[in-house]
Amino acid sequence: MIITAIVLATAAALCLALGTHLQRHAVAALPPGLRRRSTWVAGLGLMGLVTVLNVIALGLGPVSIVQPIGAVSLVFAALISRRFFGLRLGAPMLAGIAVTLVGIFAFVATSARFSHELVVSEQSVTWLLDVLVALSLFAGAFSIGSAGHIPRVVMTGIVFGTVAAAVHVLARSVIVAGLPGLVPLEVRWWMLVGAVGLASVAGFWLVQTAYARGPAETVLAGLTVIDPIVAVIIGAAFFGEYTGLTAAATAGLLASAAVGAGGVWMLSRFHPTVLASRAPTGEASVSITEASAASETLQQGTRS
């Protein structure tokens, strides 16, 4: 089952990279109109497929393995950027991708060694329900506030990491015990389903605002680092999924998380579009012209 979960999570990573680029392109680059709407809808459809694939994968494998595989989307995103947007992926950008991948996969390798079956209780479900509702409100506040690109990415990662932990709990509960009825704990199960939907909508809206304020690769990097870390912390602290963590393992988790965060910082600082915005006016104009030509290539591809 774990192999199937890995395959599904990898397919989801590819859909995530393509869907992220389509939606970021529609939100930040295309003028209003039919082409912008169709591009955004195509991205939305891919995001829906990502959700389906991840839900199935989270039911089949531990969250500590399934969620971090999303980091592969960084590689797919870099290839998409080079092919359709003509971006030059210099050494700092490639180094940022490599550092992010090293950090997240080190986190996976450490956490997976201590993975156990979930222990679900009424108290832990209630706690997770409350956190999802609170995060939905925070995500809404961030969406309409003045927060910058990176804070929005961080908050989105926290929201989606909590959603991933909740989906894992729900999916494993169905696989182990079947679809629940309406006894007290199972009523909370259905309430948790509703809270997952609410948080997903809030996180989805927040990530749209992040696309409008920065590169797609930074969004992907932030999500693929923060999302699994949050999910693993929730699984360990409230559902007993990771027990027996030694001091060395804990230090390793913290160090790998710091490395992954450093990779995200590198991507946010050295992405070609960010460098172009800091370049002299003439150079920036050339970069914008090249990006516009590449955008038309992508539009033609989506119409064909």
Side-chain angles (χ1 to χ4, degrees):
M1 287 198 301
I2 291 180
I3 298 299
T4 302
I6 291 173
V7 172
L8 291 174
T10 303
L14 174 58
C15 294
L16 176 62
L18 184 55
T20 295
H21 272 81
L22 287 175
Q23 289 204 315
R24 200 268 174 183
H25 181 64
V27 169
L30 286 176
L34 181 60
R35 287 186 301 181
R36 176 172 179 173
R37 189 179 306 114
S38 61
T39 301
W40 188 87
V41 169
L44 178 63
L46 284 169
M47 291 302 189
L49 182 57
V50 170
T51 300
V52 172
L53 293 173
N54 271 333
V55 167
I56 299 173
L58 285 168
L60 297 176
V63 70
S64 62
I65 294 176
V66 172
Q67 284 304 106
I69 290 176
V72 178
S73 62
L74 287 173
V75 178
F76 294 140
L79 295 175
I80 291 170
S81 289
R82 183 175 181 179
R83 171 65 179 83
F84 292 108
F85 293 92
L87 295 179
R88 298 182 180 90
L89 304 178
M93 176 71 175
L94 294 174
I97 293 175
V99 169
T100 303
L101 290 174
V102 167
I104 199 63
F105 283 117
F107 189 89
V108 173
T110 303
S111 62
R113 289 165 44 208
F114 299 92
S115 176
H116 300 276
E117 187 57 60
L118 292 167
V119 178
V120 181
S121 66
E122 183 174 350
Q123 182 179 6
S124 61
V125 170
T126 300
W127 179 90
L128 189 54
L129 177 62
D130 293 342
V131 170
L132 283 169
V133 173
L135 285 176
S136 299
L137 297 176
F138 278 116
F142 264 71
S143 297
I144 62 177
S146 58
H149 176 65
I150 292 299
R152 290 171 188 269
V153 171
V154 171
M155 176 55 68
T156 304
I158 293 172
V159 171
F160 283 141
T162 308
V163 167
V167 168
H168 181 55
V169 170
L170 294 169
R172 289 302 302 166
S173 298
V174 170
I175 289 175
V176 172
L179 197 65
L182 295 175
V183 299
L185 177 57
E186 293 172 347
V187 168
R188 293 180 184 275
W189 191 96
W190 290 109
M191 293 173 65
L192 187 59
V193 171
V196 165
L198 177 64
S200 297
V201 170
F204 175 77
W205 179 252
L206 179 59
V207 82
Q208 301 302 307
T209 68
Y211 292 149
R213 288 169 170 79
E217 286 84 358
T218 305
V219 177
L220 282 175
L223 294 182
T224 54
V225 169
I226 299 168
D227 181 324
I229 291 173
V230 171
V232 168
I233 289 173
I234 291 174
F238 298 96
F239 295 95
E241 191 170 16
Y242 309 96
T243 57
L245 280 170
T246 62
T250 302
L253 289 174
L254 293 174
S256 58
V259 170
V264 174
W265 177 84
M266 292 175 67
L267 288 172
S268 67
R269 184 169 180 82
F270 298 113
H271 190 278
T273 58
V274 176
L275 294 176
S277 69
R278 297 200 298 261
T281 304
E283 296 179 18
S285 298
V286 172
S287 299
I288 292 171
T289 302
E290 292 176 349
S292 298
S295 296
E296 180 61 30
T297 300
L298 179 60
Q299 293 172 32
Q300 294 172 357
T302 56
R303 290 196 297 268
S304 60

